[in-house]
Amino acid sequence: MFFLLPLFTIQLLVLLALVAVSQAGVIPSAGYYGSPFAFHAPTFAVAKPLITVAKPVAIAKPVVVAKPAEPEPFDPNPSYSFHYEVKDATTGDDKSQTESLENGAINGMYSLVDPDGFRRTVEYTADDVNGFNAIVNREPIAVAVAKPVVAIAKPVLTVAKPLVYHAPWASAPVAHAPWATAAVSHAPWA
């Protein structure tokens, strides 16, 4: 069967066999397996204790427990009020809002200038009994709305010029001579 294996496969098998032999342990003499011609005295070993008691490293100090924070005072009737306003002549942004909470009812109003030149004003209320209610009013404004200037940049297309210029490849005309054949004569075989 070895004659059918390629040479590389045989070399690989020999190499693996050598590695296996080199990694194997030494086979002891026959006396180790209880040969009748050799006597070995029994050996005894003293085992170390399995459990050891560790010495204390440090004594733990008692942990200080923080007192729980006192709850914040509860306001059964909270209230707030805020207002803001924006008027930007450059962008034409014109808006404002006012809102307040008193006795559990929210009252507010906001207004803004729409892009079509109308001012939209919304007055709203919200409470536990009636829910959210809004009244929307739209009224034209006399001042034209300043539209933001948006310029669209045109793409600049440039073609890079070559750094070095050379003439296109050209070859000189080539004239070929017609095929010439030499006269061949065959003498009869002698």
Side-chain angles (χ1 to χ4, degrees), residues 1-20:
M1 178 164 175
F2 283 109
F3 62 89
L4 296 176
L5 296 174
L7 180 62
F8 176 73
T9 307
I10 294 173
Q11 290 173 344
L12 182 63
L13 289 174
V14 169
L15 177 67
L16 291 175
L18 288 174
V19 170

Side-chain angles (χ1 to χ4, degrees), residues 89-170:
T90 306
T91 62
D93 195 13
D94 185 2
K95 58 188 170 186
S96 64
Q97 181 176 3
T98 302
E99 184 175 292
S100 63
L101 169 67
E102 293 178 15
N103 298 325
I106 297 174
N107 294 313
M109 183 274 304
Y110 69 88
S111 70
L112 59 108
V113 176
D114 287 331
D116 60 357
F118 283 79
R119 176 175 300 277
R120 180 176 8 149
T121 304
V122 179
E123 296 178 7
Y124 60 90
T125 60
D127 58 17
D128 293 337
V129 178
N130 299 318
F132 181 81
N133 295 306
I135 300 170
V136 180
N137 295 318
R138 289 195 64 198
E139 53 196 34
I141 56 176
V143 180
V145 178
K147 295 182 180 178
V149 177
V150 178
I152 299 174
K154 295 180 182 177
V156 177
L157 299 176
T158 59
V159 178
K161 296 179 182 177
L163 297 176
V164 178
Y165 179 77
H166 61 81
W169 291 100

